[in-house]
Amino acid sequence: MKINVNSVQHRINKLRGVPVETDLREYQRCAGMMNTIPLAGESDHVLKKRSAELQSRAAAGMALDDLMTEAFALVRETSHRVLGMRPFDVQVEAAAALHKGTLVEMQTGEGKTLAAILPAYLNALIHQGFHILTFNDYLARRDASWMGPVFTFLGLSVGCIQEGMSNAERKQAYACDITYATAKEAGFDFLRDNLCYHPDEQVHRSFHCAIVDEADSIMIDEARIPLVIAGVTDHDRICGRKMAAIAKCLKLGEEVETDDGRRNINLTDSGLQRAEAQLECRNLHAQESYNLLVRLNQALHAEHLLRRDVDYIVRGGRIEIVDEFTGRVVENRHWPDGLQAAVEAKEGLAVQSAGSILGSITLQHYLKQYPKLSGMTATACSAAHEFMRFYGLKVVVIPPNLPCIRRDHQDRIYTHKDAKTQALLAEIKNLHTAQRPVLVGTSSVEESETLAARLMKTGIPVEVLNAKNDEHEAAIIARAGAPGAVTISTNMAGRGTDIKLGGNHDQEREQVKAMGGLYVIGTNRHESIRIDNQLRGRAGRQGDPGESRFFVSLEDDLFVRFGLNKRLPAALRNQRQWEPISIPLVRREVTHGQRRIEGQNFDIRRSLWDYSSLTEKQRALIASLRRSVLWEHRRLISDDKSQSEALKRWEAELGRDAALDLACRITLAAIDQCWIRHLALIADIRESIHLVKVGGRPPLGEFQKIATKAFLDLESEIERTLMDKFKQLGHLSGRIVLARSELKGPSSTWTYLVNDDQFGAWMELLQGSNIGFAAGAAAWYGFLFIGWGLIRKLRNRHRDKGHLRF
């Protein structure tokens, strides 16, 4: 009797509580049935007619599951004709699993982009919008252009969202049957929609279905960074430059200290004394010095924890933040709470406006807006429990169409960076001499440029792909598989990029295959082993040969930031040798360290989820209130005397509809103003809530109590604010009121980069090695939480100088 290995493994996973499905018989039946539908002999006209019939049947209410086989067969034949690509059976199995709402794991190079168009077409038949959420703008643009002809052939429309697009262009793209966009762009558009003062300004329509490409990166790695949108306010620029000068002169290791992960920084006793002397401040921990202490900490963070050409680049007189996961510059992204201004002051740039937070949502909660959600990636199994916990998605493992024959070599580990760099240069030179294409993955813009300069000095031509030249990405990737090509890239080439052996010349493909295919080199281990595996996956795609190897040193950031080198024997840490280390303990520590760091990052995501879930419920209630005003504002205009009198005056001047529209804008302004204050309050609470742990109380429970009480007070605050606004504006002409800037919304918005580490800074203060400073901080910050209302007022004195007014 033949044993179904996948079925047995599926039962074992089920018994162990592992949300990974390996029994593919349900999806294989779909592929088998689809193969019985003969379409190859049909004309283009007949295929288009069949697509129109499918749309009619779907509109009449026929279940999409009943249309799946025929729809998939139609897309498969169309793809063959239009693109010259016919989805394999395993791609059809993946498509069926995606339609069922699962997280599909397909190995790199197995054609996830092509597989996605089958469920996208099926679910777009009812014309309610289908989103394919990609890893970056380049992939959204590429995939929409590449796969779009299949959809248009079958009578469906295709749109693509890109950074820098106007509202009108975005609205048109979202109105299409299938829309390609990054998850972040779609999320920020959602937040902006919740700031609109007229329905026509909104770009999204009701959410329907979405497939998330590179799901582990978007749904796991980037999920620890909430989406936050801010608006223009004024800022005190002089203080920032002074703080930057003080931070620059304080010595790291003597007057300021960082934790092992270089996530938090604080003053030592000597540093505190020197800072107080330069600021002419007797006690930085005194209540009246609170704003000085906050700004100095921001300046220290900017000076010592944020690195130029690693965390950001300077271009065109502006700070441009580099996304750590994609290696790309993200437009209109700022650091929050004065940190952006601190970095600008550090670099001697003109300090731009600070901002008030206008809205926020986590990626987890944004993706839950879609009634039907699925995803795909090459590295899902290791995060299966997290996909199930946060998204309710089980992982389905799809086998490759052809076995992967890539050779993944053991890491070469060196005692110091100079030895690693020397070995790297020698390895790349040997591969280039043999005319074998090489892709070198680096951790930062700075490292990519330094390595490229060293190679070019030896006469080796190099292509560099990083945040500074991202406009040349397509051309660089197209040449990366050519004989002798040496391509150095940040994480930009780590996901979604398909490097063809032979480059643009098919005749050179066999030559490169005979040499062993693409050789991938990683110059560092990443915090997540999944990201390392994505880099490896650029080689050995679709059964092609390839090799990969990582070069590591004990001085790399991974070892230094997270203290991995401290776990090694002292004799090993202190020696410097030029040959690689062959001790198994070191290899085990690299793997163990990555797992430990992934565990820490999971804790951050879980903390973000726990704390943001209540705020998300509050956001949804405010959004519902806002929608009712936006779409049904007549029922929200109360019988308050000042409102009634104002409406009569404006109606006589402007007409009924225009008067109601004006009242709607005033109401929305009142809601927004109160919500912004509430968000600021929630941020203040979260900054200090963990100090209740010192008293034995659970921080999350205390946070929920205070945040719930604050939200209950919000309703009456909105009513009071609305009445005040009508009293203030009701006697004015309607045309004068309409001209007021506070009724037009923020003049510009941007996004905030937030790393939500709830325990880091406060616990570092309370448990740090500097006992004197920690004791003083505990005493002060204990008072801070107990009297958080008073301190909030102090902070708001600073904020209100340029607070966004409505």
Side-chain angles (χ1 to χ4, degrees), residues 249-261:
C249 73
L250 292 173
K251 297 176 183 177
L252 185 63
E254 296 180 18
E255 295 168 319
V256 289
E257 294 179 335
T258 66
D259 60 1
D260 288 339

Side-chain angles (χ1 to χ4, degrees), residues 105-165:
E105 179 175 281
M106 296 176 70
Q107 295 305 308
T108 54
E110 288 298 306
K112 293 187 288 294
T113 303
L114 185 62
I117 67 174
L118 282 78
Y121 169 77
L122 173 61
N123 287 274
L125 288 174
I126 57 177
H127 304 290
Q128 292 183 11
F130 190 98
H131 294 176
I132 299 179
L133 303 176
T134 64
F135 184 58
N136 56 54
D137 265 8
Y138 165 73
L139 294 177
R141 184 171 63 250
R142 184 201 70 178
D143 294 352
S145 174
W146 188 13
M147 299 291 123
V150 175
F151 298 122
T152 53
F153 180 95
L154 295 172
L156 298 183
S157 55
V158 185
C160 177
I161 300 294
Q162 298 280 282
E163 285 186 4
M165 289 176 65

Side-chain angles (χ1 to χ4, degrees), residues 411-416 420 522-525 550-556 558-559 590:
D411 295 358
R412 285 187 182 162
I413 304 176
Y414 296 85
T415 57
H416 56 293
K420 181 185 78 169
T523 64
N524 297 269
R525 281 288 194 168
F550 282 82
F551 286 70
V552 180
S553 90
L554 302 186
E555 294 178 344
D556 288 350
L558 185 71
F559 282 85
V590 172

